[in-house]
Amino acid sequence: MFRADWYTCAGMMATEGWLVLQPNYRGSSGYGDDFLNGILLEIVSRPGKDILFGVDALIRDGIADPMRLAVGGYSYGGYITNWLITQTTRFNAALSGAGAIEHVIDWGTNDIPVSNVYLLGGFPWQQPSRYQKEAAVYQLDKKIYERNNDRVWHCFHLDT
């Protein structure tokens, strides 16, 4: 029996001709404790940089078309997707599922709040600036939004 679900999405996309990058970014297992703990205090920004490095390599090597990029993820992948779309305009589409955009609310409502406490170095009232720095919603001021005739919001990056 086949079931469409978040963990089969990459395989389904690949069978439809998409190039799918599934990087083993910092915070993943397989490269030892230092690699696994490489996201401490930078739970989305550090793996986000790793992912963008991989995307840049695919573009540089002529494997990926820089004009036809999409990004997506579910759960922690959703956290990172939400972060990435506040850092760059290179993606034409983003698909995010069950990913937080703000970590204080996430700490108070998710099923494993201790993970935020550990990964962000304390409770929200102990590390408010870190919770904010790693939250996608607080990165939105880096963007300008413009509405076109198709009633679609487009996002453009401002160089500061």
Side-chain angles (χ1 to χ4, degrees):
M1 179 170 105
F2 175 77
R3 239 180 60 176
D5 210 328
W6 65 270
Y7 51 85
T8 60
C9 186
M12 290 188 315
M13 291 176 155
T15 62
E16 292 297 317
W18 289 68
L19 169 68
V20 178
L21 171 66
Q22 289 186 289
N24 192 13
Y25 46 78
R26 260 169 267 258
S28 302
S29 60
Y31 290 101
D33 290 344
D34 289 342
F35 189 80
L36 178 65
N37 292 319
I39 63 166
L40 290 177
L41 312 182
E42 299 177 296
I43 63 173
V44 289
S45 60
R46 181 64 257 177
K49 290 173 188 171
D50 291 342
I51 292 166
L52 292 176
F53 182 83
V55 171
D56 289 340
L58 291 173
I59 292 168
R60 183 182 57 250
D61 293 345
I63 297 170
D65 181 347
M67 303 306 292
R68 298 177 63 194
L69 298 174
V71 63
Y74 191 86
S75 191
Y76 185 56
Y79 285 54
I80 297 173
T81 297
N82 297 337
W83 174 262
L84 286 172
I85 61 174
T86 68
Q87 302 302 301
T88 181
T89 58
R90 72 179 74 196
F91 301 108
N92 294 318
L95 176 63
S96 174
I101 61 167
E102 202 281 329
H103 301 299
V104 175
I105 293 169
D106 186 49
W107 167 81
T109 60
N110 78 22
D111 58 339
I112 47 172
V114 71
S115 63
N116 284 0
V117 174
Y118 174 71
L119 293 169
L120 291 167
F123 289 98
W125 56 89
Q126 294 170 320
Q127 299 292 339
S129 62
R130 187 165 300 125
Y131 273 72
Q132 185 171 341
K133 181 181 174 200
E134 290 293 306
V137 72
Y138 291 110
Q139 306 301 316
L140 292 175
D141 63 347
K142 295 182 177 181
K143 308 288 180 182
I144 305 177
Y145 294 90
E146 179 181 288
R147 195 168 183 160
N148 74 7
N149 293 334
D150 297 325
R151 297 181 181 243
V152 176
W153 289 93
H154 292 277
C155 185
F156 299 92
H157 188 267
L158 283 179
D159 290 326
T160 55

